[in-house]
Amino acid sequence: MMLILLTMGCANDAIEACEGFDAAQPVGSVSIDALTEASGLVASAQHPGVLWTHNDSGDTARLFAIDESGAAVGSLTLAGAIPEDWEDIARSGNTLYVGDIGDNDQSRAAIAIWEVPEPTTLDGDGSAGARRISLSYPDGAHDAEALIHHDGSLWVITKDADGAAVYRASDPSADSQALSLETVLLLPDAAGSLPEVTAADTSPDGSSLFIRTEAAVLVYNLARGLPEALSGTPCVAPAPDADDGESIAATGRGYAALSEGANPTLWLAESS
């Protein structure tokens, strides 16, 4: 087991603004009546300018595709999937990973990731078979809202009252239907407080990690690797002028984010 316990770090370092970012701008409302509690967001690989999103708990096993104005362009049902508390979505190549990782009561024996291929066409309501990957923590149940795929592994960032912990499951492409998470590190304080992480995503080129908290958007440089990056100090990108969102997608030109509620606002922040 690899464990890096960090009690010092970002809280004692100056958190600087990220260079080259424009202010996050509202670009439109999502025109999907069924999307009432947007929780995850990721950029499409197959369809430039398209984002995949989904509801939190209470919906059927489906993803919604929207363009960068918020207009609906398709949907995808995950055949065979049974959602419990979907919180985030990640991507590796043309494969989508939906994180059924929420656990408000911290009572689940295992969480789940639903793996599904991204459709090559967007022609209304599509469907594809999904594979369930069961994940178990080494130290009991945790609530989590952030999932990423990076360097061949799935990474879960928890939303615990005493701070965010980072866990890794190696090789999700293996045939095994159950994987054990390993503890990687405790996320240091950022911007002077323990971050309550609500979403995360890596840039398409794998160079940056975006973490959305309840108060900020943190950006980490992944040149040294993900554990090393998270043990250091991020920069702070301009955040959406909304405190009700828990999604973020790195777009290659910056990031996109959604608010919650009916007809959620889509925000874009571009970087040079």
Side-chain angles (χ1 to χ4, degrees):
M1 176 186 296
M2 178 174 62
L3 173 62
I4 306 172
L5 291 177
L6 298 161
T7 57
M8 304 291 287
C10 295
N12 298 320
D13 296 328
I15 307 295
E16 298 183 353
C18 299
E19 296 182 358
F21 271 88
D22 296 331
Q25 299 291 333
V27 294
S29 297
V30 178
S31 56
I32 302 173
D33 291 341
L35 186 66
T36 58
E37 194 176 2
S39 190
L41 192 67
V42 74
S44 168
Q46 296 274 12
H47 311 286
V50 169
L51 303 161
W52 290 101
T53 186
H54 58 80
N55 278 313
D56 203 322
S57 57
D59 197 8
T60 58
R62 57 182 172 176
L63 305 176
F64 303 101
I66 61 174
D67 66 19
E68 291 185 350
S69 71
V73 294
S75 67
L76 178 67
T77 295
L78 278 63
I82 303 173
E84 185 170 346
D85 193 353
W86 286 11
E87 289 290 355
D88 204 2
I89 182 171
R91 180 179 60 77
S92 175
N94 296 326
T95 301
L96 300 172
Y97 296 94
V98 183
D100 195 339
I101 57 178
D103 189 7
N104 292 331
D105 297 329
Q106 298 188 22
S107 60
R108 298 176 66 176
I111 56 176
I113 308 296
W114 293 98
E115 179 188 271
V116 65
E118 186 178 0
T120 56
T121 59
L122 295 174
D123 51 2
D125 299 327
S127 179
R131 177 172 78 107
R132 185 182 191 273
I133 305 170
S134 177
L135 301 178
S136 57
Y137 292 102
D139 54 354
H142 296 271
D143 188 28
E145 295 186 2
L147 172 73
I148 63 173
H149 187 287
H150 179 71
D151 197 24
S153 297
L154 289 168
W155 306 72
V156 176
I157 306 176
T158 67
K159 189 185 179 185
D160 295 322
D162 55 353
V166 181
Y167 296 83
R168 179 174 63 186
S170 300
D171 196 11
S173 62
D175 292 335
S176 175
Q177 300 298 306
L179 298 173
S180 296
L181 290 161
E182 64 174 345
T183 310
V184 178
L185 57 83
L186 301 178
L187 202 64
D189 293 5
S193 63
L194 288 170
E196 293 194 9
V197 175
T198 60
D201 195 22
T202 53
S203 59
D205 64 2
S207 65
S208 301
L209 169 65
F210 291 74
I211 289 182
R212 188 172 186 183
T213 75
E214 293 189 346
V217 173
L218 309 176
V219 184
Y220 295 81
N221 186 329
L222 296 180
R224 296 184 300 144
L226 193 143
E228 293 79 9
L230 289 177
S231 66
T233 304
C235 64
V236 179
D241 186 18
D243 58 3
D244 59 347
E246 52 179 67
S247 65
I248 194 165
T251 63
R253 306 186 313 277
Y255 75 82
L258 284 171
S259 299
E260 288 188 312
N263 302 120
T265 299
L266 177 65
W267 298 80
L268 294 179
E270 296 194 346
S271 63
S272 57

